[in-house]
Amino acid sequence: RVVFCTETLNGDEFTVRKLFYSCSLVAFSLGVFYYRQDNPLAITKKPSIRRFEYLETNKMILDFLEKNSFTESEKNIFRSYAFVELITLQLLLYKNRKYFSFVDFDRCMSLIKKEYAKIKQMEITFKKYSYLKKILLCNNYFLFCVTCKTFVILNNIKRRF
Protein backbone atom coordinates (compact mmCIF):
# COMPACT_ATOMS: atom_id res chain seq x y z
CA ARG A 1 0.00 0.00 0.00
CA VAL A 2 1.42 3.38 -1.04
CA VAL A 3 0.49 6.41 1.05
CA PHE A 4 0.98 9.92 -0.28
CA CYS A 5 3.87 11.68 1.49
CA THR A 6 2.68 14.96 3.01
CA GLU A 7 5.64 15.52 5.34
CA THR A 8 7.66 17.63 2.92
CA LEU A 9 6.98 20.32 0.34
CA ASN A 10 7.92 18.01 -2.53
CA GLY A 11 6.74 14.74 -0.99
CA ASP A 12 5.10 13.90 -4.30
CA GLU A 13 8.61 13.18 -5.65
CA PHE A 14 8.94 10.37 -3.12
CA THR A 15 5.37 9.11 -3.60
CA VAL A 16 5.69 8.88 -7.39
CA ARG A 17 8.80 6.73 -7.07
CA LYS A 18 7.04 4.40 -4.64
CA LEU A 19 4.06 4.17 -7.01
CA PHE A 20 6.24 3.29 -10.00
CA TYR A 21 8.15 0.75 -7.93
CA SER A 22 4.96 -1.01 -6.82
CA CYS A 23 3.43 -1.11 -10.32
CA SER A 24 3.36 -4.33 -12.29
CA LEU A 25 2.79 -2.40 -15.53
CA VAL A 26 3.42 1.15 -16.67
CA ALA A 27 1.60 2.44 -19.74
CA PHE A 28 2.64 5.39 -21.87
CA SER A 29 0.42 7.73 -23.81
CA LEU A 30 1.23 9.02 -27.26
CA GLY A 31 -0.78 12.15 -26.50
CA VAL A 32 0.74 15.59 -26.24
CA PHE A 33 1.02 17.11 -22.77
CA TYR A 34 2.07 20.63 -21.95
CA TYR A 35 3.98 21.24 -18.75
CA ARG A 36 3.81 24.77 -17.41
CA GLN A 37 5.93 26.51 -14.83
CA ASP A 38 4.90 30.10 -15.25
CA ASN A 39 3.31 30.89 -11.88
CA PRO A 40 5.80 33.10 -10.02
CA LEU A 41 3.72 32.76 -6.84
CA ALA A 42 3.89 28.95 -6.80
CA ILE A 43 5.18 27.55 -3.50
CA THR A 44 8.12 25.94 -5.27
CA LYS A 45 9.17 29.28 -6.79
CA LYS A 46 9.22 31.52 -3.72
CA PRO A 47 12.30 31.56 -1.54
CA SER A 48 11.27 30.08 1.81
CA ILE A 49 12.52 27.76 4.49
CA ARG A 50 10.07 25.13 3.23
CA ARG A 51 12.19 24.68 0.10
CA PHE A 52 14.80 23.09 2.33
CA GLU A 53 12.40 20.21 2.95
CA TYR A 54 13.73 18.95 -0.40
CA LEU A 55 16.75 17.69 1.57
CA GLU A 56 14.51 15.45 3.68
CA THR A 57 12.68 14.16 0.60
CA ASN A 58 16.02 13.31 -1.02
CA LYS A 59 17.03 11.42 2.13
CA MET A 60 13.76 9.43 2.02
CA ILE A 61 14.35 8.57 -1.64
CA LEU A 62 17.95 7.51 -1.00
CA ASP A 63 16.78 5.30 1.89
CA PHE A 64 14.10 3.83 -0.37
CA LEU A 65 16.68 3.04 -3.05
CA GLU A 66 18.90 1.32 -0.47
CA LYS A 67 16.10 -0.74 1.09
CA ASN A 68 14.82 -1.93 -2.27
CA SER A 69 18.08 -3.17 -3.74
CA PHE A 70 18.47 -0.71 -6.58
CA THR A 71 21.72 -1.00 -8.53
CA GLU A 72 24.72 1.18 -7.73
CA SER A 73 24.26 2.88 -11.08
CA GLU A 74 20.64 3.77 -10.26
CA LYS A 75 21.57 5.01 -6.79
CA ASN A 76 24.43 7.04 -8.27
CA ILE A 77 22.02 8.86 -10.58
CA PHE A 78 19.98 10.00 -7.61
CA ARG A 79 23.03 10.82 -5.47
CA SER A 80 24.22 13.11 -8.27
CA TYR A 81 20.80 14.73 -8.39
CA ALA A 82 20.80 15.19 -4.59
CA PHE A 83 24.20 16.88 -4.77
CA VAL A 84 23.06 19.28 -7.48
CA GLU A 85 19.92 19.99 -5.41
CA LEU A 86 22.17 20.84 -2.45
CA ILE A 87 24.08 23.33 -4.60
CA THR A 88 20.79 24.77 -5.86
CA LEU A 89 19.54 25.31 -2.30
CA GLN A 90 22.83 26.90 -1.24
CA LEU A 91 22.59 29.30 -4.19
CA LEU A 92 18.92 30.01 -3.41
CA LEU A 93 19.87 30.93 0.13
CA TYR A 94 22.65 33.30 -0.96
CA LYS A 95 20.65 34.90 -3.78
CA ASN A 96 17.60 35.51 -1.60
CA ARG A 97 19.15 36.37 1.76
CA LYS A 98 16.67 39.20 2.33
CA TYR A 99 13.71 36.77 2.40
CA PHE A 100 15.08 34.81 5.36
CA SER A 101 15.19 35.85 8.99
CA PHE A 102 18.53 35.42 10.75
CA VAL A 103 17.16 32.36 12.55
CA ASP A 104 15.85 30.77 9.35
CA PHE A 105 19.06 31.58 7.48
CA ASP A 106 21.15 29.90 10.20
CA ARG A 107 18.79 26.92 10.26
CA CYS A 108 19.06 26.49 6.49
CA MET A 109 22.85 26.80 6.61
CA SER A 110 22.92 24.13 9.32
CA LEU A 111 20.75 21.79 7.21
CA ILE A 112 22.99 22.31 4.19
CA LYS A 113 26.13 21.72 6.24
CA LYS A 114 24.77 18.41 7.60
CA GLU A 115 23.71 17.28 4.15
CA TYR A 116 27.04 18.32 2.67
CA ALA A 117 28.83 16.11 5.20
CA LYS A 118 26.58 13.14 4.31
CA ILE A 119 26.96 13.62 0.57
CA LYS A 120 30.72 13.99 0.89
CA GLN A 121 30.82 10.45 2.34
CA MET A 122 28.85 9.01 -0.60
CA GLU A 123 30.39 7.54 -3.68
CA ILE A 124 29.20 9.74 -6.53
CA THR A 125 30.32 9.39 -10.12
CA PHE A 126 29.28 12.21 -12.42
CA LYS A 127 28.78 11.31 -16.06
CA LYS A 128 28.82 15.01 -16.89
CA TYR A 129 30.64 17.77 -15.09
CA SER A 130 33.06 15.48 -13.22
CA TYR A 131 35.01 18.60 -12.26
CA LEU A 132 31.98 19.65 -10.20
CA LYS A 133 32.63 16.99 -7.59
CA LYS A 134 36.33 17.76 -7.52
CA ILE A 135 35.75 21.45 -6.98
CA LEU A 136 32.93 21.24 -4.46
CA LEU A 137 33.60 18.01 -2.58
CA CYS A 138 37.37 17.66 -2.46
CA ASN A 139 37.99 20.35 0.12
CA ASN A 140 35.59 21.29 2.89
CA TYR A 141 32.26 22.91 3.65
CA PHE A 142 33.73 26.39 3.98
CA LEU A 143 35.16 26.26 0.45
CA PHE A 144 31.86 24.86 -0.81
CA CYS A 145 30.12 27.94 0.64
CA VAL A 146 32.73 30.33 -0.74
CA THR A 147 32.42 28.76 -4.20
CA CYS A 148 28.62 29.07 -4.17
CA LYS A 149 28.72 32.64 -2.83
CA THR A 150 31.29 33.64 -5.47
CA PHE A 151 29.06 32.16 -8.17
CA VAL A 152 26.11 34.28 -6.96
CA ILE A 153 28.23 37.44 -6.84
CA LEU A 154 29.62 36.85 -10.35
CA ASN A 155 26.14 36.18 -11.71
CA ASN A 156 24.89 39.45 -10.19
CA ILE A 157 27.78 41.34 -11.77
CA LYS A 158 27.19 39.65 -15.13
CA ARG A 159 23.51 40.70 -15.12
CA ARG A 160 24.48 44.36 -14.74
CA PHE A 161 26.40 44.42 -18.02
Side-chain angles (χ1 to χ4, degrees):
R1 182 171 177 242
V2 176
V3 178
F4 196 85
C5 176
T6 58
E7 295 140 26
T8 59
L9 179 67
N10 67 331
D12 58 321
E13 290 288 333
F14 179 56
T15 303
V16 167
R17 285 169 173 84
K18 285 175 30 180
L19 286 169
F20 274 115
Y21 183 75
S22 63
C23 288
S24 57
L25 176 69
V26 176
F28 292 91
S29 169
L30 297 177
V32 176
F33 297 91
Y34 297 96
Y35 180 73
R36 293 181 51 182
Q37 279 202 352
D38 57 354
N39 181 359
L41 300 176
I43 59 173
T44 57
K45 299 290 182 202
K46 294 186 292 187
S48 82
I49 195 163
R50 293 228 35 221
R51 284 284 301 276
F52 291 81
E53 293 175 8
Y54 283 33
L55 298 173
E56 182 59 31
T57 302
N58 290 347
K59 181 185 175 301
M60 291 188 303
I61 293 170
L62 285 167
D63 289 346
F64 178 78
L65 296 174
E66 283 295 328
K67 288 176 187 169
N68 291 288
S69 305
F70 281 79
T71 67
E72 276 307 307
S73 176
E74 292 165 329
K75 289 186 273 190
N76 183 68
I77 291 168
F78 193 79
R79 286 184 205 121
S80 301
Y81 169 80
F83 181 55
V84 171
E85 185 71 43
L86 185 70
I87 295 167
T88 301
L89 289 171
Q90 183 74 59
L91 295 174
L92 172 103
L93 194 59
Y94 285 146
K95 282 184 205 174
N96 299 287
R97 175 68 182 93
K98 64 185 174 195
Y99 295 106
F100 294 90
S101 69
F102 288 113
V103 172
D104 286 348
F105 184 85
D106 286 345
R107 197 160 124 211
C108 292
M109 287 295 283
S110 177
L111 289 169
I112 289 171
K113 186 175 185 176
K114 282 183 202 168
E115 200 60 32
Y116 177 83
K118 288 178 197 170
I119 285 178
K120 193 169 179 178
Q121 300 304 313
M122 294 178 189
E123 186 60 38
I124 304 174
T125 306
F126 289 93
K127 294 194 185 328
K128 284 181 162 182
Y129 313 114
S130 60
Y131 61 87
L132 186 67
K133 181 183 179 197
K134 291 177 187 159
I135 292 170
L136 296 172
L137 284 178
C138 70
N139 294 301
N140 60 38
Y141 177 70
F142 175 75
L143 290 174
F144 170 78
C145 291
V146 168
T147 304
C148 290
K149 183 67 174 174
T150 303
F151 179 80
V152 169
I153 291 168
L154 291 174
N155 254 0
N156 287 339
I157 292 170
K158 187 173 101 177
R159 273 190 238 136
R160 292 182 193 159
F161 294 103

